[in-house]
Amino acid sequence: MKKLVCLMAAFLFLEISYGQENPDSEQSRNVLAVGYQIGGYTLVGIDYEVRVHDFLGIHFGMGYTGYTAGVKIHTNEKKNSPFFNVSYKDAGFGLLKALGLEFGGRWVFIKKSEFGLQFQIGLAKILEIEEYFEEILFDNKEAPPYMLSLGIGFSW
């Protein structure tokens, strides 16, 4: 429960800081994404990235029974640049905990609104997994030390 409250507070802080932007300043490079395995290992989740430097962004996300937090290292200073994502991911609010390294990017459909498709794919090191969840997820076999990690959704 404490983790959920902390994540909600982080989202509130980010939303308030995003709303304080000066409309006369350069366009924001922050990204909001919604989709499958976005915001943790979730069926549907939301993730918000705050660009703190030309090549560095910090992101927080949560969704239906999961959450994530991490750092995105971008290949250039543009908003839609490809990135490497290093993040802690959770599924089932504690059933599966993993540390992921993914490569991703954005494909923008509408330039004016920056609306487009976001994707990321990589590997995740399983840190902890509940025994009964392991049986369900891996068909009564032992969980591998690493697993495929991916996410796809819409972003703007």
Side-chain angles (χ1 to χ4, degrees):
M1 185 63 175
K2 289 181 184 180
K3 292 178 184 178
L4 180 61
V5 171
C6 290
L7 284 171
M8 291 175 74
F11 270 114
L12 181 62
F13 171 77
L14 292 173
E15 189 62 30
I16 290 170
S17 66
Y18 183 73
Q20 300 293 327
E21 283 189 9
N22 182 357
D24 297 330
S25 68
E26 293 181 17
Q27 185 177 4
S28 170
R29 292 180 293 173
N30 298 347
V31 174
L32 180 66
V34 177
Y36 173 71
Q37 292 193 7
I38 302 269
Y41 290 127
T42 64
L43 184 59
V44 177
I46 186 168
D47 190 79
Y48 187 71
E49 176 191 5
V50 176
R51 202 70 173 263
V52 295
H53 185 271
D54 284 343
F55 298 96
L56 191 67
I58 298 172
H59 71 96
F60 305 92
M62 66 184 300
Y64 182 65
T65 70
Y67 59 90
T68 189
V71 175
K72 289 184 180 175
I73 303 160
H74 290 265
T75 58
N76 64 49
E77 66 279 351
K78 295 179 183 173
K79 180 176 183 173
N80 299 320
S81 66
F83 58 84
F84 292 94
N85 178 22
V86 179
S87 62
Y88 174 82
K89 295 183 178 229
D90 176 89
F93 291 117
L95 294 177
L96 171 68
K97 298 175 183 176
L99 184 63
L101 175 61
E102 300 166 312
F103 176 77
R106 297 182 67 230
W107 181 32
V108 176
F109 304 137
I110 304 169
K111 297 261 188 213
K112 187 175 182 179
S113 68
E114 291 290 326
F115 180 77
L117 181 70
Q118 179 167 317
F119 62 90
Q120 53 199 49
I121 187 165
L123 288 176
K125 166 77 172 130
I126 296 175
L127 302 174
E128 290 180 35
I129 187 167
E130 291 290 325
E131 187 176 331
Y132 76 93
F133 190 64
E134 178 179 31
E135 291 171 2
I136 294 168
L137 193 61
F138 296 102
D139 197 27
N140 292 319
K141 296 178 183 149
E142 187 177 333
Y146 294 92
M147 64 182 199
L148 181 66
S149 180
L150 61 92
I152 189 162
F154 295 105
S155 63
W156 55 96

